[in-house]
Amino acid sequence: MDPDGLRGDQELQRVTLRRLRLPLVLPLRSAHGEERIRDLVVVEAVDGAGRSGWGECSALARPTYTAEHAAGAWAVLRDELVPAVLAGRAVEVVGHPMALAALAGATRDLALRRRGRSLVDHVAGSLGRPRDVVPRTAVVGRGPVDDVLAAVDDEVARGVALVKLKVTPRSDDLEVVDAVRRTWPDLDLAVDGNGTLDVRSFLALTAHRLAYVEQPAPAEDLVGSADLARRGDTPIALDESITSVDALRSAAALGAGHLVNVKPARLGGTDAAVDVVLAARDLGWGAFVGGMVESGVGRAAALAVAASELLAVPADLGPSDRYLDPDITTPIVVDGAGRVVVPTGSGIGVEIDGVALDAATVDRVDLGAA
Ligand code: MG
C-alpha cells in the first residue's frame, strides 16, 4: 500500500501521537450505539525545521462502525506504521485504513505546508476547480420524536440543504421519519440505516420521498443491497460497503446502489478518496463526502475533497460548533446561507489550537527518526 504522503523523503524527524478525549456538543446516536465523548488519535509529523503537519484517525472508541477503533489504531500507529515511515520502510500492514489515513494526512499536510500549498489546491489537481463553500447535510441521531423534531427544526433554521436521519428497523424510528416528513413536506430528507434495514423497513422508509437511503443492507451484503435497489425508485447510497475503488466497481456491477458516501478518513486518506470520486464519476454514480464527527483536523481534510463540484450531493460536514466546543483547530464556520466555508490556508487550511489540544490530550508518545 502506498497511501498519500507516505514517501519518507520529507526530512521527517519526529512523529507525535496524541490520544484525545473531546466532549461532544450533542451525543452521537446511531444504529451502532451512542457516544458522548469523541476518543480520537491525532498524529503530528515534524520536520527538521520544526514545522508540523497534522492528521487524524477518526475510528470510534469501540469497533462498532467498522473493525477499527481508537485503542487499536493507537497501537498500530505506535508499533507498526510510524516506525516504518520513520525508517523509510514500506508499510506492510493489512487493513487499518483509518490509522493509515491519520499518518498519511500528517505527512501530506507537512509536505504541503513546506511548499506553502493548500490541500484544496492539491486535490483540485485531480478533481477540478474547488468551490469556496459546500452545501451541508445535517445528520440527526436517533431519539424520541420530540427530540428529533426539535433537532431538525434547529438545523432547518440554520439553512441546511438536506437532513439525514439515523434509523434502525424499529417502529419508533420509522414513526420519527413519518413525523419529520409530515412536519416538513418539502424538506430534502434522507436516512442512514448503518446496515440494519430489512425489506419491510426499507420499503416503509421509501414511501417518504427520500433523497436516498444510506447503507440499508450490511456492508458485505452487496447482493442484498442490489435486491433492495430493484424494489423501488429511491436511490441507495453506500457508505460502509465502499472500502476501495474495487469495492465500488463490484457494487456497480451488481447494481447495488446509486451514490457513494466518500469518507477520506475511512478510505485511507484524501488520495484514496479522490480515486473513489473519479471512479464514481466514471461509473455514473453520484458522490458526497461523509463525516466521522472529526475534529477540525479531519474535517478540514474532508472539506478539501468536498469542495469539488463532482461532489454534487450536500456533504455531511458541519461547522466546528455543531460538534466540539472548543475544537482543536481554528474553527470551521458556515456562511450566511448555512454553507460550510472551505479552509484555504497552507496544508489542511486550519491551524492547531495548542491550548485546546493540550487540554484534550490524555496520552502522548513521541517517536523519533533513527
Ligand atoms: Mg453512514
Side-chain angles (χ1 to χ4, degrees), residues 28-273:
L28 175 63
R29 287 197 200 101
S30 66
H32 44 76
E34 175 178 305
E35 302 209 8
R36 290 177 177 274
I37 302 281
R38 195 67 176 93
D39 185 342
L40 292 170
V41 178
V42 166
V43 179
E44 179 186 9
V46 185
D47 73 1
R51 283 174 293 227
S52 294
W54 298 87
E56 171 177 339
C57 174
S58 302
L60 300 183
R62 296 174 54 233
T64 52
Y65 167 69
T66 70
E68 287 189 276
H69 68 303
W74 174 262
V76 167
L77 281 159
R78 181 194 61 204
D79 299 341
E80 299 285 346
L81 301 180
V82 175
V85 169
L86 284 169
R89 284 189 274 114
V91 171
E92 293 174 331
V93 168
V94 174
H96 297 283
M98 293 197 209
L100 273 166
L103 181 55
T107 54
R108 164 72 75 216
D109 185 41
L110 176 59
L112 289 168
R113 287 177 191 267
R114 284 163 61 96
R115 287 152 49 202
R117 189 153 183 243
S118 71
L119 182 62
V120 175
D121 281 346
H122 172 75
V123 170
S126 302
L127 297 188
R129 198 169 64 85
R131 294 172 290 181
D132 299 330
V133 292
V134 173
R136 174 180 168 233
T137 291
V139 180
V140 175
R142 301 177 58 223
V145 63
D146 289 346
D147 291 3
V148 173
L149 288 173
V152 172
D153 192 47
D154 181 42
E155 296 290 7
V156 168
R158 289 168 181 264
V160 297
L162 197 151
V163 169
K164 178 157 53 186
L165 305 175
K166 291 284 193 179
V167 295
T168 70
R170 289 172 49 141
S171 59
D172 47 351
D173 283 2
L174 304 184
E175 286 161 14
V176 164
V177 176
D178 184 54
V180 170
R181 176 46 88 208
R182 278 190 281 110
T183 309
W184 290 278
D186 300 323
L187 179 67
D188 280 343
L189 185 65
V191 298
D192 185 357
N194 286 108
T196 63
L197 302 183
D198 50 24
V199 172
R200 181 193 59 81
S201 54
F202 174 82
L203 291 176
L205 288 162
T206 60
H208 294 296
R209 292 178 287 110
L210 301 176
Y212 58 86
V213 177
E214 181 165 320
Q215 199 65 49
E220 303 78 13
D221 190 9
L222 293 178
V223 171
S225 190
D227 175 54
L228 295 176
R230 284 190 291 272
R231 288 174 181 265
D233 299 330
T234 304
I236 288 178
L238 293 182
D239 177 1
E240 290 94 319
S241 290
I242 307 303
T243 52
S244 64
V245 168
D246 289 342
L248 176 58
R249 289 202 184 105
S250 298
L254 288 166
H258 311 83
L259 296 157
V260 56
N261 182 339
V262 178
K263 290 180 175 168
R266 184 172 56 66
L267 289 164
T270 50
D271 280 12

Side-chain angles (χ1 to χ4, degrees), residues 20 22 38 40 42 56 58 293-300 324 327-329 332:
L20 309 184
L22 291 158
R38 195 67 176 93
L40 292 170
V42 166
E56 171 177 339
S58 302
V293 192
E294 290 99 342
S295 80
V297 172
R299 204 140 12 95
L324 304 169
D327 205 333
I328 60 164
T329 63
I332 290 167

Side-chain angles (χ1 to χ4, degrees), residues 254-334:
L254 288 166
H258 311 83
L259 296 157
V260 56
N261 182 339
V262 178
K263 290 180 175 168
R266 184 172 56 66
L267 289 164
T270 50
D271 280 12
V274 165
D275 290 344
V276 169
V277 172
L278 293 174
R281 178 197 62 187
D282 295 344
L283 291 163
W285 280 43
F288 58 93
V289 171
M292 290 290 301
V293 192
E294 290 99 342
S295 80
V297 172
R299 204 140 12 95
L303 276 167
V305 178
S308 165
E309 289 178 352
L310 292 178
L311 284 301
V313 178
D316 303 351
L317 300 169
S320 292
D321 65 8
R322 296 304 283 160
Y323 306 100
L324 304 169
D325 183 23
D327 205 333
I328 60 164
T329 63
T330 47
I332 290 167
V333 297
V334 292

